[in-house]
């Protein structure tokens, strides 16, 4: 088991909880929260492993941001989700990219099932085109949950 040290894990957990709350309450993830998450992830990497780890984590963040922006451009992801995923990626080495991606994707699939069931049970239509922001899937929840799963396995 490769646990992230407790102090950085607590910081990451707090940031993921805040992002989840904002996404559920407002259907937006503030830029300042993504910036704090990215800077603190890179700082933790530097403090743990020096410049080599900083560069490795920064590369993961940049690649994740590029992928997120592609998903945003084709309508598969919100802009805040893309920035949050990149910020969370800064907490993980490039070698952990697949672990993070799979953890977030599986969390997203679980969220989709729960969200779909909730909307069906309440008689709320499920549509591809959203009438308002609260019709969309709050994917920041999946990003936060997936990050915590990846950080603790």
């Amino acid at each position: 088991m490769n646990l992230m040290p407790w102090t950085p894990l607590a910081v990451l957990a707090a940031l993921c909880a805040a992002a989840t709350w904002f996404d559920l309450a407002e259907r937006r993830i503030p830029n300042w929260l993504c910036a704090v998450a990215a800077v603190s992830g890179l700082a933790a990497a530097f403090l743990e492993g020096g410049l080599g780890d900083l560069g490795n984590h920064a590369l993961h963040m940049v690649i994740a941001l590029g992928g997120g922006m592609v998903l945003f451009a084709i309508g598969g992801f919100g802009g805040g989700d893309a920035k949050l995923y990149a910020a969370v990626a800064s907490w993980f080495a490039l070698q952990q990219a697949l672990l993070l991606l799979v953890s977030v994707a599986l969390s997203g699939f679980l969220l989709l099932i729960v969200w779909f069931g909730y909307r069906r049970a309440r008689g709320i239509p499920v549509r591809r085109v959203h009438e308002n922001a609260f019709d969309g899937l709050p994917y920041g929840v999946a990003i936060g949950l997936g990050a915590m799963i990846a950080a603790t396995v």
Side-chain angles (χ1 to χ4, degrees):
M1 188 184 283
N2 185 12
L3 291 175
M4 188 180 280
W6 284 106
T7 301
L9 183 63
V11 172
L12 178 60
L15 292 165
C16 288
T20 294
W21 184 84
F22 275 108
D23 206 12
L24 287 172
E26 299 179 7
R27 285 302 190 275
R28 58 179 295 279
I29 302 167
N31 289 336
W32 65 263
L33 182 59
C34 294
V36 168
V39 169
S40 57
L42 294 175
F46 177 74
L47 292 173
E48 187 172 314
L51 286 176
D53 277 4
L54 173 64
N56 185 290
H57 287 237
L59 181 58
H60 183 197
M61 182 181 72
V62 168
I63 292 169
L65 183 61
M69 289 295 117
V70 168
L71 287 171
F72 172 70
I74 63 172
F77 227 37
D81 298 327
K83 291 179 280 188
L84 178 63
Y85 186 84
V88 164
S90 75
W91 286 84
F92 297 89
L94 185 57
Q95 296 83 350
Q96 297 171 300
L98 185 59
L99 171 65
L100 178 62
L101 180 64
V102 169
S103 297
V104 169
L106 290 175
S107 296
F109 182 65
L110 177 62
L111 176 66
L112 180 64
I113 291 169
V114 170
W115 188 250
F116 185 81
Y118 169 80
R119 291 182 68 85
R120 284 291 188 198
R122 305 252 341 209
I124 304 169
V126 178
R127 300 181 183 118
R128 172 76 175 120
V129 177
H130 309 301
E131 291 181 8
N132 66 56
F134 287 90
D135 282 343
L137 184 71
Y139 207 76
V141 175
I143 295 168
L145 178 61
M148 295 312 302
I149 291 169
T152 56
V153 295

